[in-house]
Every structure is written in structure tokens, then in C-alpha cells.
Amino acid sequence: MTTSSFSPPPADAQHAAEERLATPEGKRDFVRATFSCWLGTPMEYADFALYGLAAGIIFGDVFFPDATPVMALLSSFAAYSVGFVARPIGALLFGRLGDRYGRKMVMIITIALMGCSTTLIGLIPSYAQIGVWAPTCLVILRFAQGLGAGAELSGGTVMLGEYAPVKRRGLVSSIIGLGSNSGTLLASLTWLLVLQMDKETLLSWGWRIPFLCSMLIAVVALVIRQHLRETPVFERQKALLEAERKQSLEKGLAQQQEDPRSFWRRTRAFWTMVGLRIGENGPSYLAQGFIIGYVAKVLTVDKSVPTLAVLIASVLGFAIIPFAGWLSDRFGRRIVYRWFCLLLIIYAFPAFMLLDSREPMIVIPTIVVGMGLASLGIFGVQAAWGVELFGVTNRYTKMAFAKELGSILSGGTAPLIAAALLSWTGHWWPIALYFAVMAGIGLVTTFFAPETRGRDLNLPEDAI
């Protein structure tokens, strides 16, 4: 359908949505949606954090036992990257469904898909039992996991952004970051407990426990999401589409089909989101993915050290993420994001110098600072900014696809590229340079991105 015959929503559309929020029923809908989004995002990030930690610590021994330490790390992260290849496909597929039929339906599908995929990873036999079929099954399930993850995070972000009051949209939208942080915390805490097992037990069946337990989160989130109500913004868009359809029928006109090229006619906001995502996602997955494996497998620091660092960073994230969201409400999305990118560039080279000390009291805070900047603070700003960059007509599809394309260009491939650079050069400096370049892409993008704080989300056109 095309909405070209309709004028933009009236200026008081957002005001009407906020009036609904002030009612007891509206407050209940908001709380239910917030809790559902928070619970679903830990599912996604627990899945990916579990795999990230397992890839750096366990999977080399379980699925690639005959490889050298560096090659085992490379192979583990190669399988890790497959999930990111699937994410843009999932973003397009489920994002399109979300824009046409509603956020709720898609969020039910994605949580079920991710829950089943993660549980099945915990049931894969080892390489010693079934040979090459073990890593093959791992790759297939990572692909399925990535399909669901490609729409899960953006769906929750859109839902929170479309529910949130204008003046607190940055803070409320950052809750999606708290969800991701909860998943990382859960994964790191679980791994910290599992790593207390002796090596034989850990490699035999202990590593499976975190993956199997993730099904519990999926079931609870699924039950809650079945009782969700659509956001006020989407309900308004749905009413406009239905009114247009009715108008066409009354005039005896054939129902107009949406021109598939219309999705790409306004692309500046899309590519801006890709650039912002590269500046966040690449450094993020190096900080909480590659560096964990680098410290544990290459520097041979005790495996509990990087796991403890991830746990500490995740606890601090419950303060860092909402603070970043509040800062973006107070000072604007663009300036706060720009500062995070700049700090990441400054962090890159000193971080690897400090990691080389192999001293736990130095390694732990180095990882914590990296995650605080790359995986927590900057993400708290990106949530609301991403929602505001796009118009209601294709918001879910465009934002999800832009984010996941940015992920595959940065986060999904970052650990793999970093491991390849390490294998090729035998030194960390190309990795630090790679880290700084990705953060630099985010920094440059902020100079081309608009300030969107307070934008009416009912508007059909993109912010650019």
C-alpha cells in the first residue's frame, strides 16, 4: 500500500499517545511492553554472549581439537560470524512483517526461533563423537539463531521508542540496552560457575548447561509477549492504512501495490544508521568477544579472569546504559554519541599494551573500560537515535536491516578479522588500528547525522 494520498499526522498525534500513557490501562501496556522487551533482549544477548565466551574458551577444544590455539580460535569465530551473516536476512524478512502486520507477532516468532536454536546448540555432540558433522551442526544452528536475532533487538527498540514519552525517549529506549546487558551478565555469571568444573567434565558436558538453561528465558518471554498490545504509533499507522484501503474500495479503485523500489528511494538515514552501527558494533564485539579469547588462549591468562571482567562490566552496565540514555535526552543524541566514539579511538592502543602485562589487576579493568564504552554506553544512546532516524512507514525494516548490515560489516566479522590479523602478523597493533578505524567511522558519521531528539515518531518520512 502507498500512503502518498495522506498528509502527515497532525502535530498533536504524539500528545494523544502521551495522554494514553497517563491512563491506568496505558501505564499497564507500557510496563508490560517494557518488561517484555527487556526479557527478550537478554535472550538474544545471552545467546550471543554465551557463544562469544564459549568460542574464546571452550569451542576450540570441543569442535576443533586438532587445530593450533590460534587456528582453533580462528575457526570458532568463523562459525561465530555465520550468525551475523543471517542477521540482515532476518532483519529484512521479519522487519517487513513487523511494518505490515505489527511488532507483536514478529517478536513472538523471533524469541521462539532463538530459544530453540540456542537450546539445540547445547545438544550438539562433540567432534570426537560425530566428526565434521559437529561443527556443521554448529554453523546451521548459528544461522538460525542469527535469523531471529536480526529482528529481535530492533523490534524491542522500536516498541520501546514508540511507547516512550518524548522527553524521556532516550532513557526509556536505553532499557533495551539494559536487556542486552542482563544477557551478558547472565552468560558471564553462568560461565564463571561452569568454569569451576574440572577440565574433563567441562569439555564433556559442563559447557552445555548455559545453552540448555536459556530455554527457560525464552518460555517466559514467549508467554508475556502473547499478551502484548501494539504500540500507539503502529496502531495509528494501521488505522491510516485501513482508512486508505476503505477509501479505495468506496471509489471502486484497484488496491494499489507498494512499489518495492520505494524502500530505497530515501537512503540517507539508512546509510547513516549503518555508519553509526559500525562505530558501535565493531569495537563492541572486539571488546567482549575477541579480547576474551585473546587473553585466555593467546596470552594464556587464567580463563576466569576475562570472564570475571565481563561480569563486572555487566554489573556496572546497569548504571552506564541509562546514564548514557539520560545524557542523550539532556544534551542530544549526536554530541553524546560523538564523545563515545572519540573515547573508543583513544582507548584502542593503550588497551592492548595493558593486556600484554598479563596481570589480572590490570587486565580486568582494561576489559571493563572497553566494554563500558563500546558495549554499554554508546549502545544506550543509539537505541532512541535509531528509532527517530526513520519514518513510521518502514521504520522496523529499515532500522533492523541497517543495524544488521552494520553488524555484518563490523561486529559479526570483527573477531574473525582480528584473529586473522593476529595469525598473519603475530602482533596486536593491526587489531588496535582496526578497532580505532571502526570507532572512527562512527565518529565521522555523527557529523552527517541529524539531531533527532524529540522527533514525532508518527511522521511517515525519514529524518533525513
Side-chain angles (χ1 to χ4, degrees):
M1 292 291 295
T2 177
T3 57
S4 59
S5 61
F6 282 85
S7 59
D12 63 347
Q14 188 71 44
H15 179 68
E18 293 197 17
E19 284 185 342
R20 174 180 151 182
L21 266 179
T23 65
E25 182 184 2
K27 288 179 180 177
R28 284 195 299 270
D29 290 338
F30 175 66
V31 170
R32 188 181 291 118
T34 301
F35 186 67
S36 169
C37 294
W38 171 82
L39 194 59
T41 313
M43 182 71 215
E44 175 190 352
Y45 270 75
D47 290 350
F48 275 75
L50 282 174
Y51 192 98
L53 287 166
I57 299 173
I58 298 294
F59 280 177
D61 296 322
V62 175
F63 295 107
F64 311 101
D66 298 328
T68 64
V70 171
M71 287 306 299
L73 186 65
L74 183 62
S75 300
S76 296
F77 282 124
Y80 182 60
S81 298
V82 169
F84 286 85
V85 174
R87 288 177 72 137
I89 301 173
L92 277 176
L93 173 64
F94 295 119
R96 186 64 175 159
L97 291 174
D99 280 327
R100 289 178 67 92
Y101 303 109
R103 315 337 186 178
K104 173 183 173 179
M105 180 191 74
V106 172
M107 294 186 73
I108 290 175
I109 295 173
T110 55
I111 198 70
L113 180 59
M114 290 174 58
C116 290
S117 301
T118 305
T119 302
L120 290 174
I121 286 177
L123 297 175
I124 300 175
S126 68
Y127 185 91
Q129 294 172 309
I130 60 172
V132 72
W133 283 106
T136 301
C137 290
L138 183 65
V139 168
I140 292 172
L141 290 173
R142 279 291 296 167
F143 188 85
Q145 194 183 52
L147 282 178
E152 169 63 34
L153 179 64
S154 292
T157 305
V158 168
M159 181 163 279
L160 282 176
E162 291 183 345
Y163 258 112
V166 175
K167 293 182 179 179
R168 291 186 291 159
R169 190 179 290 149
L171 178 61
V172 172
S173 297
S174 71
I175 291 174
I176 206 74
L178 290 180
S180 65
N181 187 59
S182 299
T184 305
L185 174 62
L186 178 64
S188 59
L189 180 60
T190 305
W191 271 113
L192 197 60
L193 295 174
V194 169
L195 285 173
Q196 304 309 310
M197 298 178 176
D198 62 85
K199 185 176 182 179
E200 183 178 349
T201 303
L202 179 64
L203 294 178
S204 176
W205 57 267
W207 68 269
R208 303 178 186 275
I209 295 175
F211 291 92
L212 298 177
C213 290
S214 67
M215 178 55 75
L216 299 176
I217 304 175
V219 170
V220 174
L222 193 59
V223 170
I224 294 174
R225 288 184 177 185
Q226 288 178 334
H227 297 90
L228 277 179
R229 180 175 176 176
E230 288 292 353
T231 70
V233 173
F234 182 79
E235 286 184 342
R236 180 177 180 81
Q237 173 69 1
K238 184 178 179 181
L240 286 173
L241 292 175
E242 289 177 351
E244 183 188 42
R245 191 178 297 113
K246 182 179 179 181
Q247 185 183 71
S248 297
L249 291 174
E250 288 176 350
K251 292 182 177 181
L253 300 175
Q255 184 172 316
Q256 291 179 294
Q257 296 296 319
E258 183 179 2
D259 185 350
R261 294 173 299 177
S262 65
F263 181 89
W264 296 106
R265 280 178 179 162
R266 296 176 63 89
T267 59
R268 286 186 60 192
F270 177 86
W271 292 112
T272 297
M273 187 70 251
V274 171
L276 294 174
R277 183 67 163 170
I278 290 174
E280 168 262 324
N281 210 235
S284 174
Y285 278 92
L286 284 178
Q288 67 177 344
F290 173 80
I291 286 179
I292 304 302
Y294 176 75
V295 169
K297 302 290 286 186
V298 179
L299 298 182
T300 64
V301 176
D302 188 275
K303 294 176 181 178
S304 64
V305 171
T307 308
L308 179 60
V310 174
L311 176 63
I312 293 172
S314 300
V315 172
L316 293 176
F318 288 102
I320 297 172
I321 292 171
F323 180 64
W326 175 84
L327 284 175
S328 75
D329 282 333
R330 178 69 177 82
F331 301 104
R333 321 294 186 215
R334 184 166 52 186
I335 189 65
V336 178
Y337 206 92
R338 187 175 297 165
W339 269 104
F340 273 112
C341 290
L342 181 60
L343 290 173
L344 283 169
I345 295 172
I346 296 172
Y347 166 86
F349 283 89
F352 281 91
M353 294 178 187
L354 294 171
L355 291 175
D356 270 355
S357 70
R358 293 181 169 85
E359 290 291 333
M361 296 303 292
I362 296 177
V363 170
I364 290 175
T366 300
I367 295 176
V368 169
V369 170
M371 287 188 61
L373 294 173
S375 305
L376 303 170
I378 194 172
F379 191 77
V381 183
Q382 187 187 97
W385 203 3
V387 174
E388 292 166 342
L389 277 174
F390 300 101
V392 66
T393 307
N394 292 302
R395 175 172 292 132
Y396 196 160
T397 312
K398 281 190 172 183
M399 189 182 79
F401 188 47
K403 281 193 170 186
E404 300 314 327
L405 180 60
S407 290
I408 199 173
L409 293 174
S410 56
T413 52
L416 177 62
I417 292 174
L421 288 172
L422 180 63
S423 177
W424 177 46
T425 65
H427 201 273
W428 55 258
W429 70 263
I431 304 168
L433 179 61
Y434 178 47
F435 188 107
V437 166
M438 286 191 291
I441 291 173
L443 176 66
V444 171
T445 304
T446 64
F447 289 94
F448 296 93
E451 177 54 64
T452 60
R453 178 179 49 161
R455 186 170 190 261
D456 186 353
L457 297 184
N458 294 279
L459 296 173
E461 69 274 5
D462 293 345
I464 310 177

